[in-house]
Amino acid sequence: MRAGVAPRRVRRLIAEWQAHHTDLSGAAADAGAGPAEAALLADQQLGDDATLLRACLNRPELLSVTHRHPRLMFGVVPPLLFALVFVVLIAILVQALDVLHAGFGITLTRSSPAERMVTITFGFLLWVLPALVVGGIAHGALRQRARRLWPLIGMLAVALVGAATNLGVQWSASGVLSSLSGGIGVSTERVLELLARVAPAGVIVVAYLWRRRSVHAS
Amino acid sequence: MAGVPELLLLQLLSAREMYGYELARAVRLATGDTIQLGEGVLYPALHALERRSLVRARQRSVQGRTRIYYTATPAGRRRLLQLTREWRRISSAVDGALAGSSS
């Protein structure tokens, strides 16, 4: 049911079916049926799982936002979320460096905590964040049993934008941090790096397609 | 015909607040057992009506059991009027056609 129906509706529907089943078996028991017979009668009156599931999935009003708007939920929201997290983390990094320098008087040199902060943040943004977002799309699509198209488009968009994003740090001749830079672009000199950065997302996409195939087959 | 369950549910829920099992029994009683809604499929229908703001649901604790009670909203009552008018129009037309073909 979660593959389509909004989760909070699933919880309530199951609770209501269980309560109804209890009422039906209670009524059957009051009419003289034994416990097993009462439960069986209740099952028959309530309907089998396939009937109940079909009744839910045939009602567009009950479907989750993901099913009603797959283009938005897989194709638009994840890339926007990726961009937002990216910008926020860069802003936090810049602010942290400013605090280190202006607040604690630490010179932002290569051997200072500044370099570690920049390296860790850049590493996360360039190598980990795209894979996390792609993984999130795959997880959501599998859980909701969404059609392939929009999740794949979303994963591809995030993987390519993530791989094409470049971040740089410039150090002065005396080893002091002079600037941070960033942009989106592909350079023929960095094709191998681009491929390496797309690779984790590629692995996730393959795993998603394989898992999707086995889920749909079962 | 597709609107018949909605019509019945709104009619009964306009009269008083009921929970699912009670509503299923009420449909059978009101229609003299002519119409027996599949009991389990009643709930997706109720949830769909709630999603369209035609009924409202609230939890009540009765004799130690928590139940979800449904009642028609003002929009639900307006929808009931509309469905009733439509039903009467259609059934009158069908009656007319049947009377015409039998004479």
Side-chain angles (χ1 to χ4, degrees), chain B residues 4-100:
Chain B
V4 172
E6 184 180 338
L7 171 60
L8 287 173
L9 295 180
L10 287 173
Q11 169 68 15
L12 291 166
L13 293 175
S14 291
R16 63 185 179 95
E17 198 179 40
M18 283 187 255
Y19 61 95
Y21 177 70
E22 201 179 4
L23 188 56
R25 279 188 318 175
V27 169
R28 282 204 306 272
L29 282 169
T31 61
D33 268 342
T34 305
I35 296 177
Q36 294 183 33
L37 294 178
E39 307 228 1
V41 305
L42 187 66
Y43 294 98
L46 287 170
H47 281 232
L49 289 175
E50 187 191 11
R51 187 81 174 81
R52 292 159 57 198
S53 303
L54 299 179
V55 304
R56 185 172 48 241
R58 67 179 183 120
Q59 242 176 345
R60 278 174 59 186
S61 203
V62 177
Q63 294 173 341
R65 288 186 66 183
T66 302
R67 297 188 185 279
I68 294 174
Y69 281 74
Y70 295 87
T71 188
T73 61
R77 291 171 211 275
R78 286 194 294 275
R79 175 71 177 149
L80 171 62
L81 281 174
Q82 184 190 354
L83 286 173
T84 307
R85 270 198 298 268
E86 218 170 288
W87 171 259
R88 286 188 177 138
R89 187 177 60 81
I90 291 170
S91 65
S92 166
V94 171
D95 284 343
L98 290 174

Side-chain angles (χ1 to χ4, degrees), chain A residues 126 130 157-167 183-187 194 197-198:
Chain A
L126 296 177
V158 170
L160 289 178
V161 169
T165 303
N166 303 301
L167 293 170
I184 296 181
V186 178
S187 161
L194 181 88
R197 284 167 55 188
V198 164

